[in-house]
Amino acid sequence: MKYRTLTGTDLRVSEVGFGVWSVATTWWGVKDRSFGVRLLQEALDTGITFYDTADTYALGEGETILQEAFQGKRDKLVIATKFGYDIYSQKGERKGFSEMPQLWTPEHIRYACEQSLRRLGTDYIDLYQLHNVRQETLQDDAVFETLERLKEEGKIRAYGPALGPDIGWHDEGLWALRHRKGMSMMQVIYNLLEQWPTNKFLQPAEESGIGLVVRVPHASGLLDGSYNPAKHYDKSDHRNHRKHDWMGRGLQAVEKLGFLYGPETGRTIGQAAILFSLSSPVVASVLPNITSEVSLKEFVAAPDCPALTAEELAEINRLWENELVTLLDQPYANSQNKPIPVAAPASN
């Protein structure tokens, strides 16, 4: 395993992290909690030190499973969790992929933080992330003043937004990078098949000294070979959330990327995808969906595989600009941007 310092912090994280949603929820087919605990423990043994979860994952179980797996090992971990959904007035876990209501009052943020600390069994959170945050919340100074107070009190070490796909999040990301100087990181989706809008964040993040954490590096199974177009995925499985037509076009795109993987390259397709997400120096860690011992072994080895060459990266860029943007129906090709809503710079 290799490690990077998350820009804007003193946190040293493993280049491959563990997205805890894969073992704390049923969205990826892992339903056995005891197996999830063992997989987390095996991940630490392989060198993974960065674990990303959220209070909304199984209504808190995404945090309690970390406490169960890592009793007495807090000093070996970098823990990121998320807040913003009002899980406390809900009677049960959300059905399917319908979104819970969000709540961003200072009182709720403090309460959510205290509850996460309790469930995690720790007195501090390394990275506290605003979960699928919208523009109006990013522009709310009271939210960020509360986060600054929590940081001063030692309850969190750093904070930033975890941007979600269904809100668009292009404008949110650029606005936050330009105006929220107190934040230290941002979590985004970035992979070979879904480069926009994160490809628009790389330079501003570097200029602002903001580190990025990448999730979904395998485009929901297209880039690790786990997606089977002939298989029926249960409604509780996250792959069911993807449009079947888009996944089919994604398989066509993967065929164009065959030069990145295979015995002659020393990489699997899953490892090549992780290396692409890590190819930018502002990306500190990548969070693949680890669901088995086999996937753990493959993904954790990615940083030790041959890095993508300058020629390979140039060919990826050529394919992206000339073929993949259209094939994959990605909004706004590389040369285009939506205008950013005009807003006064935040005070924080």
Side-chain angles (χ1 to χ4, degrees):
M1 179 57 66
K2 295 180 182 178
Y3 302 85
R4 298 184 183 186
T5 298
L6 180 65
T7 304
T9 76
D10 60 357
L11 298 172
R12 191 83 170 156
V13 296
S14 52
E15 288 188 346
V16 174
F18 199 122
V20 179
W21 79 328
S22 68
V23 294
T25 72
T26 61
W27 298 341
W28 284 96
V30 177
K31 299 178 174 64
D32 185 332
R33 183 181 176 90
S34 62
F35 172 76
V37 168
R38 292 197 306 273
L39 197 61
L40 288 166
Q41 293 169 338
E42 290 175 17
L44 182 60
D45 291 340
T46 68
I48 293 179
T49 58
F50 180 44
Y51 296 83
D52 175 76
T53 191
D55 59 5
T56 191
Y57 295 167
L59 298 182
E61 290 188 24
E63 294 174 329
T64 59
I65 195 172
L66 286 177
Q67 179 177 182
E68 183 178 346
F70 298 127
Q71 285 282 355
K73 297 181 178 179
R74 179 65 180 94
D75 61 329
K76 300 180 184 297
L77 311 175
V78 176
I79 294 177
T81 194
K82 309 180 192 76
F83 70 98
Y85 286 105
D86 182 14
I87 69 171
Y88 301 99
S89 62
Q90 305 303 307
K91 301 301 182 183
E93 189 173 5
R94 60 176 167 159
K95 297 180 180 179
F97 301 103
S98 60
E99 190 173 23
M100 286 183 178
Q102 294 183 323
L103 186 58
W104 301 101
T105 63
E107 295 78 14
H108 178 77
I109 294 170
R110 280 193 165 274
Y111 181 77
C113 182
E114 294 292 348
Q115 297 309 303
S116 287
L117 289 168
R118 177 184 58 80
R119 287 190 293 263
L120 289 164
T122 184
D123 55 4
Y124 67 95
I125 295 164
D126 295 296
L127 295 176
Y128 203 39
Q129 302 164 99
L130 298 87
H131 202 170
N132 295 342
V133 61
R134 272 71 169 173
Q135 184 81 297
E136 60 268 23
T137 302
L138 285 170
Q139 294 177 314
D140 186 346
D141 287 346
V143 169
F144 290 85
E145 288 166 1
T146 303
L147 291 170
E148 281 295 318
R149 300 295 85 76
L150 290 172
K151 187 176 177 181
E152 291 170 1
E153 294 164 16
K155 294 181 179 180
I156 65 175
R157 297 180 66 185
Y159 62 82
L163 298 177
D166 288 340
I167 65 170
W169 59 280
H170 168 269
D171 297 351
E172 283 81 359
L174 284 181
W175 196 92
L177 288 169
R178 292 172 179 172
H179 299 303
R180 282 299 174 196
K181 304 305 180 184
M183 74 180 202
S184 302
M185 56 78 63
M186 190 161 71
Q187 185 178 141
V188 293
I189 294 171
Y190 185 51
N191 60 61
L192 285 160
L193 306 184
E194 297 170 292
Q195 297 185 36
W196 187 93
T198 296
N199 56 2
K200 297 299 181 184
F201 300 162
L202 301 179
Q203 183 175 340
E206 184 174 6
E207 293 171 351
S208 301
I210 302 295
L212 301 182
V213 172
V214 168
R215 71 180 186 280
V216 199
H218 293 129
S220 299
L222 287 171
L223 291 167
D224 63 9
S226 66
Y227 175 70
N228 181 355
K231 181 179 179 180
H232 171 73
Y233 292 96
D234 186 85
K235 288 184 178 181
S236 66
D237 191 299
H238 197 266
R239 283 159 289 197
N240 189 272
H241 193 49
R242 294 277 199 171
K243 292 182 179 180
H244 186 75
D245 175 63
W246 187 88
M247 295 295 278
R249 284 181 278 122
L251 289 173
Q252 296 177 46
V254 170
E255 292 178 2
K256 298 176 183 291
L257 298 168
F259 63 94
L260 295 175
Y261 58 93
E264 66 281 1
T265 69
R267 323 175 191 108
T268 66
I269 182 174
Q271 291 165 339
I274 289 172
L275 290 170
F276 171 76
S277 296
L278 286 169
S279 63
S280 170
V282 300
V283 173
S285 186
V286 175
L287 303 167
N289 291 322
I290 298 171
T291 59
S292 67
E293 294 171 343
V294 172
S295 62
L296 171 62
K297 183 178 179 180
E298 177 185 356
F299 299 158
V300 80
D304 295 317
C305 293
L308 301 185
T309 66
E311 292 76 17
E312 288 171 327
L313 290 169
E315 178 61 9
I316 291 168
N317 191 58
R318 186 196 69 78
L319 282 170
W320 175 258
E321 292 183 341
N322 294 288
E323 300 180 42
L324 299 187
V325 164
T326 302
L327 176 63
L328 297 169
D329 208 18
Q330 277 261 275
Y332 314 109
N334 282 11
S335 61
Q336 299 174 326
N337 273 324
K338 287 196 303 180
I340 304 299
V342 176
S347 63
N348 193 15

